[in-house]
Amino acid sequence: MYFTVSKKDFYNGLSVVARAISNYSPLPAFSGIKIEANTDELILTGSDSDISIQTVIRNQDDCKLSIKDNGAIVIEARYILEIVRKTESDEIEFEIIDNALTKISGNGAEFKINGMKATDYPAIDFSKPKEVFSFEGHLLKQIIAQTAFATSDKETRPVLTGVNFHAAAGKLNCVGTDSYRLAKKELKIDSALSFNITIPAKSLAEVSKIVEDEDLVEIAVNDKKAQFMINSTIIQTRLIDGAYPETERLIPTSYEYELSMNAHDLLGAIDRASFIKNDGVSVIKLSLDEKECILSTKALEVGSSTEVLAGAIFKGEHLEISCNGRYVFDAIRALEGESVIFKFCGEMKPFIIKAAGDDDVLQLVLPVRTYA
Amino acid sequence: MYFTVSKKDFYNGLSVVARAISNYSPLPAFSGIKIEANTDELILTGSDSDISIQTVIRNQDDCKLSIKDNGAIVIEARYILEIVRKTESDEIEFEIIDNALTKISGNGAEFKINGMKATDYPAIDFSKPKEVFSFEGHLLKQIIAQTAFATSDKETRPVLTGVNFHAAAGKLNCVGTDSYRLAKKELKIDSALSFNITIPAKSLAEVSKIVEDEDLVEIAVNDKKAQFMINSTIIQTRLIDGAYPETERLIPTSYEYELSMNAHDLLGAIDRASFIKNDGVSVIKLSLDEKECILSTKALEVGSSTEVLAGAIFKGEHLEISCNGRYVFDAIRALEGESVIFKFCGEMKPFIIKAAGDDDVLQLVLPVRTYA
């Protein structure tokens, strides 16, 4: 195995596939990046078995690739990244010199690194699933940003650690919930598509980091895996097994109270009060009236806060409702709207938050009981 | 106690004194900032008993201060910082409303925080020591940057966790060492000054963060404490007890070998090889010859590196010397020179590094034995 490659493209490729690599992988080979030189392609693969990323480097545009000998090797990700990043040269020379000992050099600096044999790297099936659709990068990133934050970080109900994507009858419903709050985004989709899968939020976070707004992302799914294809990179993730809960019936359909307000101002008010915590949770109380809306908090040890919500417009009878301030904060931020609308059905009933003028995204939060 | 004050100046003052506060203070009062309103001055104090910072806010320039009632209170630092930072108002209103319950408000948001009584805050003596001199901010910061990194982070020999400042006969010697390396800066000083004190490196780091390049810093010391005065702020630190080792005799006075090289290039070469570590330490070997200078590293598990040091000029017989790469890296960076000069006396003897054209700063590093 012997090739030379442009430093910049090699480093970018290594960085992308390294995103799949976990520091806690039980399999030693998974701490490395598999590098395959195949006639006119350099194929880089990183994986932690849950998520696998593969990218292909070719001799094109500004990228110079010259493969003199085919071959494959696995190099510890942090070493190869360090070497390539810090080499002050436009070109990197890469050669297996003895068994798994690999020479990497550029601009007078030469490294001999103990690699691992490529045959010890698990085979990863990158074959393309059948249900295929595509999104522009900025839309895919928005879907993830608006739903993934609401997933659970506890492994007690694994299915809640992912975002559910349900395609049927020309509609794609994307839902994240940790059972205390729920985020849902609805999109139109090709009516031939039909699937109901749950993708780990962790994998979606990596997708979001790699995708650029202007990319066109092809997505291919079946009931085993999902693939995101961007230019010459494939990000592949396992799915979470198990039936996703029926969330549609949790969303109230009629409301008795409505609060609308500037999103930025409300975020500011919640943020200001967020240090007043009971057992690590900042519970906010909304005291809502057509005359005045007040946000207050209280914690025995710390103290209390009250703030009149300037510019809030409330319709309905007097209502007092308490909830986790962090959940409302996250939900408002995810809506990305200038003005937000809360719809309530009662003191202890779930309420929803939407951005004014955007019916595609809905945030639902469960209230909490307070004893103040 | 009742006052109103400009948010910006209040926040800046609180931030500065909060630098002294440790999260691990055994004394509850030390997790707070003491706020005293005294006719026309607002005095803020933070301390962890090792380091104490006091700043005074007055009604001057852009800063509006209006004290209606004198008084004093101690407020948990993180709470008061959060409140003042996030309040969207130019002015903060501050009032003790009941015992230690304090109302802090601005722009419609109102907080009632449980404070601590000022009488429970330890008395701190800010009286000014007798030996007084001053440095421009940029010079003081440079002295600290060039010496403090070489101090020890282990408490086995407490005196080595500080920088020694020794003034005698018109010279100020500033020395930091952890016994494996040593950094020394020499300055001219008023010949009337005479002291030999060791200031904790941790305190100097805080001084460095607070001082701006263009400040004029007045420094006052005695054998108990050191004070740094910048505008209306006093930073006061305890000293480290115990005799500082006689370091002068450690520095060789004659040399047999000399290496000179561009600092940036050498930093790059050391940095590139730094991931090749044995037991967490990157040992570099310099193989020096008048014809060629080579930097190499080796670690059984990882692999090896070799780099020809382009542009290095060596005078003397062939020399091989190994040392901790991190120590040499830190030393070169601290010198702040474009070109560096190494002077060696032999394979296992301490060597020194200086910046070309700057005799005031000297870095000394002990070599290590290698078995390769």
Side-chain angles (χ1 to χ4, degrees):
Chain A
M1 186 184 188
Y2 182 25
F3 65 85
T4 58
V5 62
S6 297
K7 170 192 156 157
K8 186 168 158 285
D9 298 86
F10 193 34
Y11 182 69
N12 289 345
L14 292 167
S15 309
V16 166
V17 303
R19 290 209 161 276
I21 294 171
S22 154
N23 286 328
Y24 310 102
S25 184
L27 203 70
F30 276 156
S31 66
I33 293 175
K34 186 178 170 193
I35 302 170
E36 290 172 82
N38 193 357
T39 316
D40 56 356
E41 288 182 340
L42 195 62
I43 305 164
L44 310 178
T45 309
S47 177
D48 74 347
S49 85
D50 285 348
I51 183 165
S52 302
I53 305 179
Q54 186 165 86
T55 195
V56 179
I57 296 172
R58 291 188 187 86
N59 187 37
Q60 60 187 13
D61 304 327
D62 287 346
C63 175
K64 302 271 169 270
L65 171 69
S66 165
I67 294 173
K68 283 137 191 168
D69 270 321
N70 283 345
I73 188 88
V74 178
I75 306 275
E76 186 75 20
R78 59 204 161 115
Y79 298 157
I80 183 77
L81 281 166
E82 275 274 299
I83 291 171
V84 176
R85 182 166 66 88
K86 291 180 177 169
T87 295
E88 284 176 2
S89 163
D90 292 339
E91 190 182 79
I92 302 285
E93 202 176 326
F94 192 105
E95 185 182 6
I96 300 180
I97 49 175
D98 179 22
N99 203 4
L101 189 66
T102 306
K103 189 171 92 179
I104 304 152
S105 48
N107 197 30
E110 184 181 298
F111 298 86
K112 289 180 184 151
I113 300 297
N114 298 316
M116 293 169 268
K117 288 189 182 166
T119 47
D120 293 340
Y121 197 83
I124 298 168
D125 172 18
F126 278 100
S127 67
K128 188 170 164 182
K130 289 247 167 70
E131 305 270 350
V132 181
F133 56 104
S134 35
F135 282 134
E136 283 179 19
H138 76 93
L139 177 59
L140 178 60
K141 285 163 77 104
Q142 192 187 45
I143 295 170
I144 296 170
Q146 293 187 321
T147 56
F149 73 93
T151 59
S152 172
D153 51 8
K154 296 191 181 64
E155 285 296 333
T156 43
R157 285 186 69 188
V159 82
L160 297 188
T161 62
V163 175
N164 181 249
F165 294 85
H166 187 177
K171 279 203 304 189
L172 177 67
N173 262 327
C174 316
V175 175
T177 181
D178 61 4
S179 81
Y180 302 104
R181 54 167 163 187
L182 178 146
K184 181 182 135 183
K185 178 149 183 131
E186 191 178 304
L187 299 114
K188 288 206 180 71
I189 204 168
D190 180 348
S191 59
L193 291 163
S194 168
F195 54 83
N196 189 353
I197 59 170
T198 305
I199 302 180
K202 205 171 142 275
S203 302
L204 292 171
E206 293 307 331
V207 170
S208 216
K209 283 177 198 153
I210 295 168
V211 169
E212 302 284 343
D213 276 357
E214 57 280 9
D215 288 335
L216 183 71
V217 186
E218 194 181 41
I219 304 167
V221 306
N222 61 21
D223 56 359
K224 291 274 172 291
K225 66 183 184 183
Q227 273 186 0
F228 299 84
M229 281 148 290
I230 316 127
N231 307 317
S232 47
T233 301
I234 303 175
I235 309 166
Q236 173 170 300
T237 170
R238 72 170 179 93
L239 304 178
I240 305 178
D241 290 334
Y244 199 79
E246 283 293 332
T247 53
E248 205 55 40
R249 61 184 172 75
L250 299 175
I251 301 165
T253 46
S254 68
Y255 305 93
E256 288 167 44
Y257 315 83
E258 189 178 298
L259 169 72
S260 62
M261 195 177 159
N262 176 280
H264 173 266
D265 291 349
L266 186 49
L267 285 175
I270 297 170
D271 187 35
R272 271 188 285 284
S274 61
F275 74 95
I276 301 184
K277 288 180 181 169
N278 286 292
D279 298 329
V281 177
S282 161
V283 170
I284 58 170
K285 181 159 116 184
L286 295 167
S287 306
L288 306 171
D289 213 291
E290 298 199 342
K291 281 198 291 260
E292 196 176 56
C293 297
I294 293 169
L295 185 152
S296 64
T297 62
K298 194 169 192 172
L300 199 60
E301 285 191 10
V302 184
S304 62
S305 79
T306 49
E307 178 163 352
V308 177
L309 297 175
I313 298 162
F314 181 69
K315 287 182 215 148
E317 301 282 302
H318 176 78
L319 175 69
E320 301 214 332
I321 192 163
S322 295
C323 58
N324 184 323
R326 183 79 228 168
Y327 288 176
V328 176
F329 188 90
D330 290 348
I332 297 172
R333 221 168 37 169
L335 289 171
E336 299 177 11
E338 225 178 282
S339 174
V340 285
I341 299 163
F342 287 64
K343 293 183 177 185
F344 305 95
C345 331
E347 208 184 320
M348 284 312 297
K349 304 253 176 68
F351 60 91
I352 64 159
I353 318 174
K354 288 189 171 195
D358 179 0
D359 264 337
D360 296 343
V361 196
L362 170 151
Q363 304 287 345
L364 178 139
V365 175
L366 256 65
V368 294
R369 208 175 285 280
T370 53
Y371 306 92
Chain B
M1 185 184 187
Y2 183 25
F3 66 85
T4 60
V5 62
S6 297
K7 171 192 157 158
K8 185 167 160 286
D9 298 86
F10 193 34
Y11 182 68
N12 290 346
L14 291 167
S15 308
V16 165
V17 301
R19 291 210 159 276
I21 294 171
S22 154
N23 287 327
Y24 310 103
S25 183
L27 203 70
F30 276 156
S31 66
I33 293 174
K34 186 178 170 194
I35 301 169
E36 290 172 80
N38 193 356
T39 317
D40 56 355
E41 289 182 338
L42 196 60
I43 305 165
L44 310 178
T45 309
S47 176
D48 75 347
S49 84
D50 284 349
I51 183 167
S52 303
I53 304 179
Q54 187 166 85
T55 195
V56 179
I57 296 172
R58 290 187 188 85
N59 187 38
Q60 60 186 16
D61 305 327
D62 286 347
C63 175
K64 302 269 168 274
L65 170 70
S66 163
I67 294 173
K68 282 138 194 167
D69 270 320
N70 285 346
I73 189 87
V74 178
I75 306 275
E76 186 75 20
R78 57 204 164 115
Y79 298 156
I80 183 79
L81 281 166
E82 275 274 298
I83 292 172
V84 177
R85 182 166 65 86
K86 291 180 176 169
T87 294
E88 285 177 0
S89 163
D90 292 339
E91 190 181 77
I92 302 285
E93 201 177 326
F94 192 105
E95 184 182 6
I96 299 179
I97 50 176
D98 178 22
N99 203 2
L101 189 67
T102 306
K103 189 171 92 179
I104 304 152
S105 48
N107 196 30
E110 184 181 298
F111 297 86
K112 289 180 185 151
I113 300 298
N114 298 317
M116 292 169 270
K117 289 189 183 165
T119 46
D120 292 340
Y121 197 83
I124 299 168
D125 171 18
F126 279 100
S127 66
K128 187 169 165 182
K130 290 246 166 70
E131 304 270 350
V132 182
F133 55 105
S134 33
F135 282 134
E136 284 179 18
H138 77 92
L139 178 59
L140 179 60
K141 284 163 79 102
Q142 193 187 44
I143 296 170
I144 296 169
Q146 294 187 320
T147 55
F149 73 94
T151 58
S152 173
D153 50 10
K154 295 188 183 66
E155 285 295 333
T156 43
R157 285 185 69 189
V159 82
L160 297 188
T161 63
V163 175
N164 180 251
F165 293 85
H166 187 178
K171 279 203 304 188
L172 177 66
N173 264 326
C174 317
V175 175
T177 180
D178 62 4
S179 79
Y180 303 103
R181 54 169 163 183
L182 178 146
K184 182 183 133 181
K185 179 151 182 128
E186 191 177 303
L187 299 115
K188 289 203 180 73
I189 204 168
D190 181 348
S191 59
L193 291 163
S194 168
F195 53 84
N196 189 353
I197 59 169
T198 306
I199 301 180
K202 204 170 142 276
S203 301
L204 292 171
E206 293 306 332
V207 170
S208 215
K209 283 178 198 150
I210 295 169
V211 169
E212 303 284 343
D213 276 357
E214 57 279 8
D215 287 336
L216 182 71
V217 186
E218 193 181 41
I219 304 167
V221 305
N222 60 21
D223 56 358
K224 292 273 173 289
K225 67 183 183 183
Q227 273 187 0
F228 299 83
M229 280 147 289
I230 316 129
N231 307 318
S232 47
T233 300
I234 303 175
I235 309 166
Q236 172 169 301
T237 170
R238 71 168 179 99
L239 304 178
I240 305 179
D241 289 333
Y244 199 78
E246 282 294 330
T247 53
E248 205 57 39
R249 59 183 175 75
L250 300 174
I251 302 165
T253 47
S254 68
Y255 305 94
E256 288 167 43
Y257 314 84
E258 188 177 297
L259 168 72
S260 61
M261 193 176 160
N262 177 279
H264 173 267
D265 292 349
L266 186 50
L267 286 174
I270 297 170
D271 187 35
R272 270 189 287 285
S274 61
F275 72 96
I276 301 184
K277 288 180 182 170
N278 286 291
D279 298 329
V281 177
S282 162
V283 170
I284 58 170
K285 180 160 116 183
L286 295 167
S287 306
L288 306 170
D289 213 292
E290 296 199 345
K291 281 199 294 263
E292 197 176 56
C293 297
I294 293 170
L295 185 152
S296 63
T297 62
K298 194 169 193 171
L300 200 61
E301 285 191 10
V302 184
S304 63
S305 78
T306 49
E307 178 163 352
V308 176
L309 298 174
I313 298 162
F314 182 69
K315 288 182 215 148
E317 302 280 302
H318 176 76
L319 176 70
E320 300 211 335
I321 191 163
S322 295
C323 58
N324 185 324
R326 184 78 230 168
Y327 288 178
V328 176
F329 187 90
D330 289 348
I332 296 173
R333 221 167 39 169
L335 289 171
E336 299 178 12
E338 227 178 281
S339 174
V340 285
I341 299 163
F342 287 65
K343 292 184 178 185
F344 305 96
C345 331
E347 207 184 321
M348 285 310 299
K349 303 253 176 66
F351 60 90
I352 64 159
I353 318 173
K354 287 189 172 195
D358 179 0
D359 265 336
D360 296 343
V361 196
L362 170 150
Q363 303 288 344
L364 178 139
V365 175
L366 256 64
V368 294
R369 208 175 284 280
T370 54
Y371 307 92

